[in-house]
Amino acid sequence: MLPYTSALKVVNMYIDTIEEELFTYKRQNPIEHVKSRLKRPSSIARKLEKKGLEPTLENAVKYIDDIAGVRIVCQFQEDIYRVADVIKKFENIRIVQIKDYIANPKENGYRSYHMHVEIPVRMLHGEEMVKVEFQLRTVAMDFWASLEHKIRYKNESEIPDHIGSELKLCATLVEKMDSEMQHLNNEIEQLNLITQDSTN
Ligand code: 0O2
């Protein structure tokens, strides 16, 4: 797990830089909080088995993109794309795949912006490209996903239909709230700009 641990340290340093730069130069504070984690070996083995693969180290390195995962939680939906754009500009980050579950939500209502990337990590034997998954979401999307993860995503057995339907309804409400909050925030920022202009 050492390369993945090192990759998470490097990525967290990049995120600190993004936060400091956005605040210093643009007075923006788009990131609410960041959580990083290493996938547990049992979870890696389960995921490989689900994909019909032998739970070996080689298969884990080759086929599992989220052994190292970083979740960036933003206040507003536009912040997600703003932060993603900054990540895309980092020379040391190679974007492998983007899954925009905000533009294209999953059937169950799941929404988040996923970036599968590779970053170079210096080890004793030389440099290694290590896979990291970024998950970017709003506070509201995160609230929904945590509950859904707890009650269904990891559950092998079927859950009652009405719970699935209620979760889907909640996902619609989350989407509506995110867009209303975004709209409000844009209006407030416009007002602040006008106030700043008139006091200058
Ligand atoms: P955990 O416990 O969070 O680590 P792929 O085989 O590449 O097509 P994969 O690897 O599942 O599919 O990729 P994807 O779609 O990027 O999903 C990776 C992670 O996103 C998941 O990791 C979850 O953390 C999260 N995720 C994806 N879909 C859902 C969903 O429907 N609900 C919730 N709550 N989270 C989701 P793990 O390993 O599955 O779980």
Side-chain angles (χ1 to χ4, degrees):
M1 293 306 245
L2 200 55
Y4 294 101
T5 314
S6 305
L8 284 183
K9 283 187 191 151
V10 174
V11 164
N12 278 306
M13 212 175 61
Y14 289 162
I15 297 171
D16 282 349
T17 311
I18 293 174
E19 281 192 286
E20 278 167 26
E21 288 204 350
L22 284 176
F23 187 71
T24 308
Y25 297 120
K26 302 199 170 179
R27 289 282 158 227
Q28 289 172 356
N29 218 346
I31 299 176
E32 178 70 28
H33 65 266
V34 180
K35 233 194 249 170
S36 51
R37 66 104 183 88
L38 280 179
K39 212 176 188 64
R40 273 180 287 121
S42 57
S43 209
I44 297 174
R46 203 166 43 235
K47 197 158 182 172
L48 282 172
E49 274 158 13
K50 257 194 198 165
K51 288 175 185 269
L53 296 163
E54 285 284 305
T56 62
L57 182 63
E58 290 72 25
N59 281 344
V61 172
K62 197 162 170 193
Y63 297 108
I64 306 291
D65 294 332
D66 64 341
I67 293 180
V70 182
R71 187 167 293 153
I72 302 178
V73 178
C74 300
Q75 281 184 345
F76 303 102
Q77 198 163 298
E78 283 175 12
D79 291 337
I80 292 174
Y81 292 99
R82 208 172 280 157
V83 174
D85 282 345
V86 182
I87 292 174
K88 287 176 195 163
K89 286 190 189 124
F90 266 76
E91 260 178 34
N92 275 350
I93 296 183
R94 194 176 87 81
I95 311 290
V96 179
Q97 191 186 18
I98 303 238
K99 294 185 187 174
D100 188 347
Y101 295 123
I102 298 174
N104 306 295
K106 285 179 75 168
E107 186 50 37
N108 59 1
Y110 177 76
R111 289 163 71 241
S112 280
Y113 188 86
H114 291 196
M115 300 171 85
H116 291 176
V117 306
E118 280 182 351
I119 60 152
V121 172
R122 189 155 290 286
M123 307 295 291
L124 276 182
H125 56 267
E127 202 171 81
E128 217 178 283
M129 291 304 281
V130 181
K131 293 179 185 175
V132 176
E133 183 189 72
F134 285 102
Q135 291 181 357
L136 292 97
R137 17 171 109 149
T138 62
V139 181
M141 290 174 198
D142 193 43
F143 186 31
W144 183 93
S146 314
L147 181 66
E148 197 266 356
H149 191 275
K150 197 160 71 185
I151 61 184
R152 177 158 71 178
Y153 192 62
K154 288 286 183 178
N155 211 327
E156 299 300 327
S157 52
E158 284 296 304
I159 59 149
D161 279 351
H162 76 275
I163 294 186
S165 307
E166 278 180 43
L167 274 170
K168 215 161 168 186
L169 175 68
C170 285
T172 318
L173 296 176
V174 163
E175 189 175 350
K176 193 162 165 30
M177 192 175 76
D178 270 336
S179 100
E180 293 283 335
M181 295 293 270
Q182 181 72 63
H183 178 71
L184 256 180
N185 190 55
N186 291 351
E187 275 203 24
I188 292 166
E189 280 185 355
Q190 275 302 322
L191 278 177
N192 284 346
L193 279 183
I194 294 166
T195 324
Q196 271 170 19
D197 269 1
S198 57
T199 50
N200 283 339

